[in-house]
Amino acid sequence: MSDYITVRGVLGTEVQRKRTKKGDAVAEFRLASSGDWLNRDTGEWVKGVTNWYTVQAFRGLAENLWRSLSKGDPVVVTGKLKLRQWELQDGRRGTSPEIDADSIGHDLRRGTAEFIKNWTAAP
Amino acid sequence: MSDYITVRGVLGTEVQRKRTKKGDAVAEFRLASSGDWLNRDTGEWVKGVTNWYTVQAFRGLAENLWRSLSKGDPVVVTGKLKLRQWELQDGRRGTSPEIDADSIGHDLRRGTAEFIKNWTAAP
Amino acid sequence: MSDYITVRGVLGTEVQRKRTKKGDAVAEFRLASSGDWLNRDTGEWVKGVTNWYTVQAFRGLAENLWRSLSKGDPVVVTGKLKLRQWELQDGRRGTSPEIDADSIGHDLRRGTAEFIKNWTAAP
Amino acid sequence: MSDYITVRGVLGTEVQRKRTKKGDAVAEFRLASSGDWLNRDTGEWVKGVTNWYTVQAFRGLAENLWRSLSKGDPVVVTGKLKLRQWELQDGRRGTSPEIDADSIGHDLRRGTAEFIKNWTAAP
């Protein structure tokens, strides 16, 4: 499927709680994915580009994010990338990278988690 | 990167605790990813192929999995797919699909999690 | 999207031409993806697991594969992984890894291609 | 692997031929991936966000792209996403989404290709 991506990163903000006009839950936060890499020849970490995304989730996933995630938490996010474009009056254009999340979990490479199931429906 | 995959599924076994000869922690479990899909014309779920994987993790990630995951937990797994082949004496061959996990998290589409960080090192 | 994968590999067979009962074109071939990797400390290639897949494609994509691919061609394949299970009478089970291809292209890391468009419809 | 992505899209520009200071070949082009989708209830295509990327490739892959790709060609691109940030003097920030390509092929869902191998080395 084109433009789907999986990102390991860290929450750069708290989770914002929003509602759609219909009243559906929306969760939104900023995610930073470090591009630093280990140079095996020297044993030192090299500075890379940090990718910043706005992550959005809806309904049941959004409500669980509200209750589970805090600024600084390491997470795994998988979903569809959307590169929204905007244009300034002077003609310069920019892009706002968003991920419309299919699912999100705490990154267990970085800690432990206690999980409470609240949805048993079909996949 | 060739052969990398992200899977949303459910643990079909408890996590096995193992050690490499060098003493490094290893975690191993079976993961089931349902291929059932919603037929939007009829509103009914259609039976699909369920993908079964053996998931392996090492060192810090393995130790956190030991303490965090139980049979039945829904998870997001991302890592490299390895299709190990074996051969019976009668000549028939089979394949054991494994995922060498980069990271794993509880699937927050299915519940809430309380997370305790235990690693603050570089990515 | 769970269980989607992108694989760089080489055709291990010619492309088989089949038809569904309805008459739709089907293309099928075996794909080998090498897991060999370069050890940067020694500068030598290390033997890894080779992943073997059966790749299937349908309709327009299938017809274009019939006319474009030969055994030995390096390709990039993206699609959904299906791990079909079978069981022997003695109770041993096996898995046949298939990729239901979204799209396929010659791997331009390994050669050049002359392309002729034959479909201009919506994505 | 974090931030890796596979995109099916169309070249929005010709391929630019560049060289690094060391003389290595570089290929660069703009890629458009349509987010339009088929509404199965109505049978009509719905307008979605079009993702625009700058794709970069190096050395052997770059040289083959120079000789194989033209504006308007449909392709499959797989590689690492880099979201480079820039800042205007008035403080507004923007992001330039780039893909550092692992490999690229013509999208055989959209046409046929004649391929000539020119690299037989290890993967």
Side-chain angles (χ1 to χ4, degrees), chain C residues 6 102-103 107 109 112 114, chain D residues 6 102-103 107 109 114 116:
Chain C
T6 296
D102 274 347
S103 194
D107 183 350
R109 186 178 283 279
T112 59
E114 211 167 319
Chain D
T6 296
D102 274 346
S103 194
D107 183 350
R109 186 178 283 279
E114 211 168 320
I116 298 168

Side-chain angles (χ1 to χ4, degrees), chain B residues 23-50:
Chain B
D24 286 339
V26 181
E28 195 177 305
F29 60 86
R30 294 281 286 164
L31 178 73
S33 165
S34 166
D36 295 355
W37 53 282
L38 183 62
N39 184 331
R40 293 186 188 281
D41 295 336
T42 65
E44 282 170 16
W45 286 92
V46 181
K47 199 78 197 161
V49 172
T50 294

Side-chain angles (χ1 to χ4, degrees), chain C residues 14-29 54-67 69 84 98-101 104:
Chain C
E14 296 294 341
V15 178
Q16 288 182 52
R17 300 171 182 229
K18 301 183 176 182
R19 293 271 176 198
T20 64
K21 285 175 190 168
K22 290 180 182 171
D24 286 339
V26 181
E28 195 177 304
F29 60 86
T54 298
V55 177
Q56 283 196 316
F58 301 91
R59 289 183 288 274
L61 174 58
E63 291 179 10
N64 286 337
L65 297 183
W66 292 354
R67 286 182 269 163
L69 298 188
R84 296 191 189 280
E98 294 178 13
I99 298 175
D100 187 351
I104 298 177

Side-chain angles (χ1 to χ4, degrees), chain C residues 68-80:
Chain C
S68 305
L69 298 188
S70 301
K71 183 177 171 177
D73 280 3
V75 289
V76 183
V77 175
T78 185
K80 187 166 176 75

